[in-house]
Amino acid sequence: MDTVAPVTEIIDVIKESGGEAFKLCYQCGTCDVVCPWNRVRTFSIRKIVRQATFGLTEIESEEMWRCTTCGKCPQQCPRGVKIIECGISLRRIATEYGVFPGSAEPIPAISGSLNGEGNPLSEKRNDRANWAEGLQVKTFTEGMEFLYFPGCYLCYDPRLKKIARATAHILKQAGIEFGILGEKENCCGESIRKTGDEELFKRLARQNIKTFIDHGVKKILVSSPHCYHTFKNEYPEFMVDFEVVHVSQFLFKLINEGRLLPSNEYGKKVSYHDPCYLGRHNGIYEEPRETLKKIPGLELVEMADSHKESLCCGGGGGRIWMETPKGERFSDLRLEQAIAVKADVLATSCPYCIVNFEDSRLNVKGGKAIEIRDITEIVQEAFQGTEEK
C-alpha cells in the first residue's frame, strides 16, 4: 500500500484530523453488517478503520469516499467508536494532499463554487432569492420571528424551488412573521465538512454567523436536515446558540395550534422516508408522521426499514455531488420498498432525498407511477391558514 508519509507520521496526522477513536475498534464487523453499501456491493468500513489504525490508509483509493455518514454504524457499534468522524479524518488528509479519486473528482470544483458564490451549484449569489419571485417575501429584519433559510438546493434547483415556495405560502397563511436574507446567505457548510474540507466549512460558518448576528437573527427555520444538523449541533462550536427549527417540526406545531386548518381531501396512500440527518442524527421521527396523519383522506403506510432503521438515500457525506453507478444506488432500493407497500406518494423532508428519489423514478421498474413529494408540498395542498398576509 502507498502512504503519503512514513507510518508514524500518518498515524499522527490521522489523530490530529479527528481519528483518535480508531484505536477503540476491536474489529467485530458490526459496522459492515449494517452498512447500506453491502446491499449493493462489497464494502468494508471495518477494513478502512483497521488500515488507519496502523497508518496504512490508501488515500488514492475511492473506498474512503463511499461513506454517506448515514449514522447506521455508530448507532450499532458496541465500543462507541465515532466511525463517521474517523472517516472524515481520512478525507481531511486526502483533501490536504489534493487527492480526489474516482467519484470524488467533482469536489474541488464544488469547493471553488462554495468559495466564490456561496453555493455548491455554480449558481450566481445574486440569484439566491429568485425562488421567492412574486411571493412578496420580505427581507429579514431584526424583530421578525424567524429567518427562513431554504438552503442551497431549494434556492436554485427548479424542482426543489417548489418546496421553498410551498413553505413561504404556508408561513404566510399561518400568519408567521418571517424573512429571508437571500444573497447574504452562504451554504451552511455541512456537506463540504463531511468531505474533509474543514477550513472551508469554518469560513462559511463564520460568514453565516456574522450575517445572522448583524441582522439580529435568533430563530432559524430550515427545510434541509443538513442545515438543521449543522446550525444546531456544529455552529455552537463557534460559541453561538441560535434556536433552530426544522420545517417538519414547525408544521406539526402550526396544525396542533389550529393555525392551519384542513381544507382538501388528499386521498392518497403515502409512505414517509426518514432522512438520515433528521432521524438517526437528530431523533425527529414522529412530528412528520403526525402531521401526515392530520391530513384528511391520507393513508400513511410504513415501508421496510423505517424510523431509526431507515435506508439512506445515498446523498449524505458529500455523495450528493458524486456519481453513483446504476445498480449501486440506495435510492433505487428505497423506491422499490415504497412500491412494495403500494404507496402512491413517497414523502420525505430532505432535498437530497428528493433529488435521489426523483432520479430513481426514471430507473426503477414502476417508479414513474409514484410521486415524490416533500411533506411541505403535501401540507400546502391539504391545508389552509387561519390568517392571510
Side-chain angles (χ1 to χ4, degrees):
M1 297 178 190
D2 294 329
T3 59
V4 296
V7 169
T8 54
E9 181 180 333
I10 195 66
I11 292 174
D12 289 340
V13 172
I14 290 170
K15 289 180 179 179
E16 291 169 4
S17 297
E20 175 71 19
F22 276 133
K23 66 183 183 182
L24 297 174
C25 175
Y26 57 23
Q27 293 289 291
C28 69
T30 302
C31 50
D32 286 352
V33 172
V34 300
C35 180
W37 274 110
N38 286 300
R39 297 194 184 195
V40 296
R41 57 166 291 140
T42 301
F43 173 70
S44 178
I45 189 68
R46 179 196 60 78
K47 178 182 177 182
I48 292 173
V49 169
R50 192 62 169 171
Q51 290 175 342
T53 303
F54 295 103
L56 300 175
T57 299
E58 298 176 277
I59 67 166
E60 294 183 355
S61 168
E62 192 175 351
E63 292 299 283
M64 75 167 67
W65 295 95
R66 293 195 184 280
C67 177
T68 64
T69 67
C70 73
K72 282 281 284 182
C73 54
Q75 174 182 281
Q76 301 292 334
C77 179
R79 292 294 299 274
V81 178
K82 295 182 178 179
I83 302 172
I84 291 174
E85 289 84 348
C86 291
I88 293 169
S89 73
L90 301 180
R91 293 179 181 184
R92 286 178 186 157
I93 296 168
T95 297
E96 180 182 347
Y97 283 88
V99 178
F100 300 97
S103 63
E105 287 182 2
I107 299 301
I110 298 293
S111 297
S113 178
L114 287 167
N115 267 308
E117 298 291 348
N119 70 81
L121 303 170
S122 297
E123 298 285 352
K124 295 180 180 178
R125 179 185 291 274
N126 292 344
D127 293 339
R128 194 173 179 100
N130 286 1
W131 65 268
E133 285 181 356
L135 298 181
Q136 297 180 324
V137 173
K138 298 177 182 177
T139 299
F140 182 89
T141 57
E142 188 168 3
M144 286 184 173
E145 182 178 3
F146 279 103
L147 167 68
Y148 174 48
F149 191 97
C152 299
Y153 280 78
L154 269 65
C155 287
Y156 294 111
D157 183 273
R159 164 65 183 92
L160 299 177
K161 283 181 182 180
K162 296 176 182 178
I163 301 169
R165 293 179 67 84
T167 304
H169 277 297
I170 291 170
L171 295 177
K172 290 167 75 68
Q173 288 171 0
I176 304 302
E177 190 177 21
F178 75 100
I180 61 174
L181 288 174
E183 64 183 72
K184 296 178 182 177
E185 300 167 356
N186 280 307
C187 176
C188 69
E190 184 277 328
S191 292
I192 200 65
R193 188 181 213 187
K194 301 306 184 291
T195 69
D197 199 333
E198 186 71 8
E199 290 307 310
L200 180 51
F201 164 72
K202 289 178 178 177
R203 189 177 310 127
L204 293 167
R206 290 187 180 113
Q207 290 171 356
N208 275 332
I209 289 168
K210 183 179 187 305
T211 298
F212 297 162
I213 292 173
D214 287 349
H215 287 81
V217 173
K218 292 181 172 58
K219 297 168 70 173
I220 309 173
L221 180 68
V222 298
S223 289
S224 171
H226 297 268
C227 297
Y228 179 84
H229 179 80
T230 202
F231 288 159
K232 184 175 185 291
N233 302 316
E234 297 180 339
Y235 277 29
E237 297 171 18
F238 299 88
M239 308 306 292
V240 293
D241 185 20
F242 303 105
E243 182 179 345
V244 188
V245 181
H246 188 268
V247 70
S248 65
Q249 298 172 300
F250 198 54
L251 291 173
F252 177 69
K253 180 175 184 289
L254 291 176
I255 293 169
N256 273 359
E257 292 177 350
R259 301 183 74 170
L260 288 174
L261 302 175
S263 58
N264 298 307
E265 289 273 336
Y266 196 67
K268 296 177 182 178
K269 185 181 289 188
V270 177
S271 197
Y272 177 73
H273 164 78
D274 295 280
C276 300
Y277 272 80
L278 199 59
R280 267 187 298 275
H281 284 284
N282 287 289
I284 299 173
Y285 296 106
E286 297 309 322
E287 291 101 317
R289 287 177 169 81
E290 292 303 315
T291 295
L292 292 170
K293 289 177 183 178
K294 297 282 188 181
I295 296 175
L298 186 149
E299 180 185 355
L300 184 63
V301 293
E302 292 288 357
M303 294 177 283
D305 302 315
S306 66
H307 292 77
K308 70 177 183 179
E309 301 300 329
S310 181
L311 177 61
C312 176
C313 80
R319 293 290 309 183
I320 192 67
W321 303 319
M322 305 181 204
E323 182 61 33
T324 303
K326 290 181 181 179
E328 296 186 6
R329 297 174 183 175
F330 309 160
S331 54
D332 288 358
L333 301 181
R334 196 55 161 161
L335 205 67
E336 289 171 355
Q337 290 182 335
I339 293 169
V341 295
K342 297 180 170 56
D344 301 308
V345 178
L346 176 55
T348 189
S349 300
C350 176
Y352 291 0
C353 297
I354 289 180
V355 166
N356 283 337
F357 292 152
E358 291 283 13
D359 187 53
S360 288
R361 284 183 71 243
L362 306 177
N363 302 311
V364 172
K365 183 179 180 181
K368 292 181 181 179
I370 195 167
E371 296 178 52
I372 310 299
R373 305 295 294 276
D374 187 271
I375 188 173
T376 313
E377 296 175 297
I378 297 174
V379 169
Q380 185 200 12
E381 187 173 332
F383 283 78
Q384 65 181 8
T386 56
E387 179 181 348
E388 290 284 348
K389 277 200 172 184

